Amino acid sequence: YFCTYWAFVFIEGAKRKKLLVSIYLLISILLVNCRFLLPWSIDMCFMFGLLMLWGYINRYKFEAFSQLLKNPVLFLLFLVAYLLIVVYNGTINASVRIYGNHFYSVFFFFYIGISEFLLLSSLCISYERSKLVILLSKVGRCSLRLMCIHYPIKTILSHIMDQNVSYSGKALVSALLILGITFCINHLVSIVIGRYSDKVAILNYI
């Protein structure tokens, strides 16, 4: 993220943005066939920097996008185009610089990233007052805390779960236990933070 942020800052503050966009794309394409990964995801920061730039430039237009996608015909066409490109592009694993199955998949990856964001944001805006979204927003406020809590629980459970249970059954039981225990611990942590945050200021950042 650090490298991506600075790649974005550099291009956002530049006067010749179009030239830099072309350079960023060229670097991303040339690095596709690189036989090793660069440290700190330097080889992927140019593509993600472009995605951040697109979001920054269009930050005030998301409501307009969501209004367009409220039209069922436009939404369906957009969704079909997205699904066709996803299927044609193939496997994506951005963590190891796999943008798809083609040399030019960099462009498809960029389109897929923007399309997924627009589809999901339009759905969220459309249902932002539903009970499910309100519940998810409450979970989202403590997502970092949940992320920190769940991994130790996952590690402990992996050692004590019965090895004779089938993989699918074990995975399901493990997921349910992790979910339940994580939310219980998070609830207790929230109570402690609410009670002592006035006295211990650092608790407000947990």
Side-chain angles (χ1 to χ4, degrees):
Y1 176 80
F2 177 80
C3 294
T4 297
Y5 174 75
W6 283 109
F8 159 71
V9 169
F10 182 73
I11 195 171
E12 194 278 324
K15 293 181 179 179
R16 305 184 68 178
K17 285 186 177 61
K18 291 182 179 179
L19 175 62
L20 280 177
V21 166
S22 301
I23 293 172
Y24 275 30
L25 283 172
L26 180 60
I27 292 172
S28 298
I29 292 169
L30 292 175
L31 286 171
V32 166
N33 292 322
C34 183
R35 296 186 178 182
F36 53 88
L37 298 173
L38 298 180
W40 310 302
S41 298
I42 293 173
D43 42 353
M44 289 166 275
C45 72
F46 301 100
M47 174 53 61
F48 289 113
L50 290 177
L51 286 170
M52 285 185 71
L53 178 68
W54 183 90
Y56 181 78
I57 291 172
N58 295 286
R59 62 191 183 280
Y60 300 120
K61 300 177 182 177
F62 296 139
E63 286 284 351
F65 286 134
S66 66
Q67 290 298 322
L68 281 174
L69 292 178
K70 280 183 178 180
N71 184 314
V73 176
L74 288 177
F75 182 85
L76 184 61
L77 289 173
F78 193 77
L79 181 62
V80 169
Y82 161 75
L83 291 174
L84 288 173
I85 290 177
V86 167
V87 172
Y88 176 74
N89 189 54
T91 303
I92 290 177
N93 188 349
S95 62
V96 289
R97 205 183 55 236
I98 297 176
Y99 300 117
N101 297 340
H102 312 284
F103 180 73
Y104 46 84
S105 284
V106 166
F107 300 100
F108 287 140
F109 177 83
F110 189 80
Y111 174 82
I112 290 168
I114 292 172
S115 298
E116 286 181 353
F117 173 79
L118 291 176
L119 287 168
L120 289 173
S121 61
S122 63
L123 286 172
C124 289
I125 290 171
S126 299
Y127 297 100
E128 62 181 339
R129 296 185 181 180
S130 68
K131 292 182 180 179
L132 176 61
V133 173
I134 291 171
L135 175 63
L136 291 174
S137 67
K138 289 181 179 179
V139 173
R141 292 191 190 101
C142 52
S143 56
L144 181 59
R145 194 191 308 159
L146 292 171
M147 191 187 305
C148 295
I149 294 171
H150 97 281
Y151 192 77
I153 297 169
K154 179 182 176 183
T155 305
I156 294 168
L157 286 175
S158 66
H159 290 292
I160 64 176
M161 288 284 288
D162 188 355
Q163 299 298 321
N164 296 321
V165 179
S166 66
Y167 178 78
S168 57
K170 182 180 177 180
L172 177 61
V173 173
S174 178
L176 291 173
L177 285 172
I178 290 170
L179 191 64
I181 296 170
T182 300
F183 274 96
C184 287
I185 294 175
N186 179 67
H187 182 66
L188 293 173
V189 171
S190 297
I191 293 172
V192 172
I193 290 174
R195 181 171 296 181
Y196 298 104
S197 58
D198 292 337
K199 299 177 182 178
V200 185
I202 196 172
L203 291 176
N204 292 307
Y205 300 97
I206 298 177

